[in-house]
Amino acid sequence: MSNKMNPWLDVCRSMAILLVVFSHGRTFLTPVIPHAQTLKFGGFLGVELFFVLSGFLIGRILIDKTRNATTPMGWITLFWARRWLRTYPSYLLFLIINLLILNNIRPDVFPQLIRYITFTQSLLTPHPSFFGEAWSLAIEEIFYFLTPILLGVLLKITGDFKKSLGLTLLILFIIPLALRINAATTTMTFNEIRSTALFRVDSLMFGVLAAWAYHESMQLRNLLIKVCSLGILLFPLVIYIAAQPDTVMDENRFLKIFFFNIANISCISLIILGINLPVNKYVTYCSSRIARWSYAAYLTNLPVLFLIHRLFPQPVGLSSHLIIWFIFTLSVFFSAFIVYTFFERKVLTYRDRVFNR
């Protein structure tokens, strides 16, 4: 099965970005609709869904590359080139945009640029406040960097694909878990742990593990589906907990350590259980476009939010708040369409021409 052509994966990607945008946009609604604060869960769950979806898709590529490689590490440079041309140019564009609006629209302290340029701004410490949404991108980039190296080195040592994959999974599950267990004994808050890159790489590894099980054999696929049939039951619990005030997570050591993985299991269950479902053609049409713009929408949604707060007077009344919320949502996806069409797509075309698979 081709991951690229599966419409359910686009539905999941579009669902993830909509959850994030609606969560951030709730600030325009809560003054008149206090219950809109419940949408807070979307910011957490949307990013966790992005993580496991990336792990599932990129995991399939990593597994295929490792298994079919003529040398253990000869494929890694091309893999990095393709992944970084997918993510880095747009990231750099929005790093520049956030610097330009630093002193007016989105005030903050001037960052250590070399750390942002190298995605090391939050390796073992919480992500700085500047360009705050980049915390999740740093985690993904660390995953793209570490996982191929581990796979390649272990394949060279063991000479066995399954052993090297198993050891890679084990290492990248155990180390982040151990780091979170230690962090939970300190004063670090839930969100500080959440935004520290090496504490969170295991979230993507759930997707890698699912990709291996799903594509390895029918027996493993059936077992995965059975596990996911139970895992999906966690979804309402994740929504309920993620909608609670931050203090609930900050005061609970168990949630600081394990809540991310509980969410990851529920998200990968959603992906696996829906992957063979028929998707309505109209849903496919809409979700494929939202999915295509999702990376740009993720990068643009907070600059748009701050710009709207600056440009528009404080709304009064329900209708005014709803109009501002609608303007925000529409502006996010319109700006994402512009960024994708005139920048991101051109970079991807160049990538596919120069760094062919």
Side-chain angles (χ1 to χ4, degrees):
M1 176 186 301
S2 169
N3 288 336
K4 283 187 175 180
M5 300 303 294
N6 190 288
W8 179 248
L9 300 180
D10 277 345
V11 170
C12 290
R13 189 179 286 107
S14 60
M15 190 187 309
I17 190 58
L18 287 170
L19 283 169
V20 170
V21 172
F22 290 162
S23 174
H24 292 166
R26 75 186 187 278
T27 59
F28 298 110
L29 299 177
T30 50
V32 288
I33 310 175
H35 288 301
Q37 179 60 19
T38 305
L39 292 172
K40 171 182 178 288
F41 80 87
F44 174 82
L45 191 56
V47 174
E48 298 307 312
L49 183 53
F50 271 130
F51 282 158
V52 295
L53 187 58
S54 291
F56 186 72
L57 293 169
I58 304 306
R60 175 76 185 279
I61 296 172
L62 288 169
I63 290 166
D64 288 346
K65 293 288 187 185
T66 310
R67 178 177 276 147
N68 300 322
T70 53
T71 61
M73 304 184 72
W75 57 275
I76 294 177
T77 304
L78 178 59
F79 171 82
W80 281 339
R82 288 187 58 82
R83 290 316 307 162
W84 286 333
L85 278 171
R86 172 67 184 89
T87 56
Y88 194 74
S90 292
Y91 170 83
L92 190 60
L93 171 66
F94 276 86
L95 177 59
I96 294 168
I97 288 172
N98 277 277
L99 286 170
L100 292 175
I101 62 177
L102 181 64
N103 294 320
N104 40 65
I105 294 170
R106 195 176 181 180
D108 210 321
V109 296
F110 196 85
Q112 294 179 284
L113 284 180
I114 190 65
R115 296 184 67 192
Y116 277 83
I117 291 169
T118 57
F119 289 107
T120 56
Q121 69 266 39
S122 55
L123 273 178
L124 286 168
T125 55
H127 197 279
S129 57
F130 172 77
F131 195 7
E133 59 274 27
W135 71 269
S136 64
L137 307 180
I139 293 168
E140 294 220 17
E141 298 301 328
I142 295 302
F143 164 77
Y144 297 149
F145 180 73
L146 284 181
T147 313
I149 292 178
L150 267 176
L151 275 169
V153 168
L154 291 169
L155 182 59
K156 193 167 185 177
I157 293 170
T158 66
D160 184 277
F161 164 72
K162 286 189 178 179
K163 283 183 182 177
S164 61
L165 177 62
L167 286 170
T168 299
L169 287 165
L170 189 63
I171 291 167
L172 292 181
F173 274 127
I174 288 178
I175 289 177
L177 179 61
L179 288 169
R180 288 201 303 276
I181 290 172
N182 178 68
T185 65
T186 70
T187 58
M188 287 185 74
T189 66
F190 178 85
N191 282 322
E192 286 173 339
I193 292 173
R194 180 190 180 212
S195 69
T196 305
L198 288 178
F199 294 7
R200 299 298 321 284
V201 178
D202 57 329
S203 290
L204 288 96
M205 299 311 292
F206 276 91
V208 176
L209 178 61
W212 172 74
Y214 188 83
H215 296 289
E216 182 67 15
S217 70
M218 188 56 66
Q219 185 178 5
L220 281 172
R221 180 181 297 188
N222 290 336
L223 176 61
L224 177 65
I225 290 170
K226 287 178 183 177
V227 171
C228 289
S229 298
L230 296 174
I232 197 67
L233 299 177
L234 295 170
F235 218 85
L237 176 65
V238 172
I239 292 173
Y240 173 77
I241 294 175
Q244 301 305 306
D246 288 344
T247 52
V248 172
M249 275 80 85
D250 292 342
E251 295 168 2
N252 190 308
R253 188 175 295 180
F254 177 85
L255 293 180
K256 286 182 179 182
I257 299 169
F258 295 108
F259 186 50
F260 308 105
N261 296 152
I262 293 170
N264 301 147
I265 292 168
S266 70
C267 288
I268 201 61
S269 298
L270 177 71
I271 292 168
I272 296 300
L273 294 179
I275 203 166
N276 287 319
L277 293 178
V279 179
N280 178 278
K281 64 179 182 180
Y282 298 110
V283 173
T284 299
Y285 178 85
C286 293
S287 63
S288 65
R289 281 150 182 78
I290 294 174
R292 196 179 302 156
W293 307 330
S294 61
Y295 183 43
Y298 184 78
L299 288 167
T300 198
N301 85 98
L302 286 181
V304 167
L305 184 147
F306 282 96
L307 181 62
I308 288 176
H309 273 304
R310 184 175 179 86
L311 293 180
F312 287 84
Q314 182 65 32
V316 178
L318 177 61
S319 59
S320 297
H321 281 84
L322 287 172
I323 289 170
I324 295 295
W325 174 84
F326 179 75
I327 290 171
F328 163 72
T329 306
L330 189 64
S331 298
V332 167
F333 286 103
F334 178 71
S335 60
F337 162 75
I338 295 297
V339 171
Y340 175 81
T341 303
F342 296 103
F343 183 76
E344 190 177 328
R345 187 167 65 181
K346 294 184 184 301
V347 173
L348 294 177
T349 301
Y350 169 80
R351 178 197 71 173
D352 292 340
R353 187 174 69 249
V354 177
F355 298 100
N356 198 289
R357 290 178 189 274

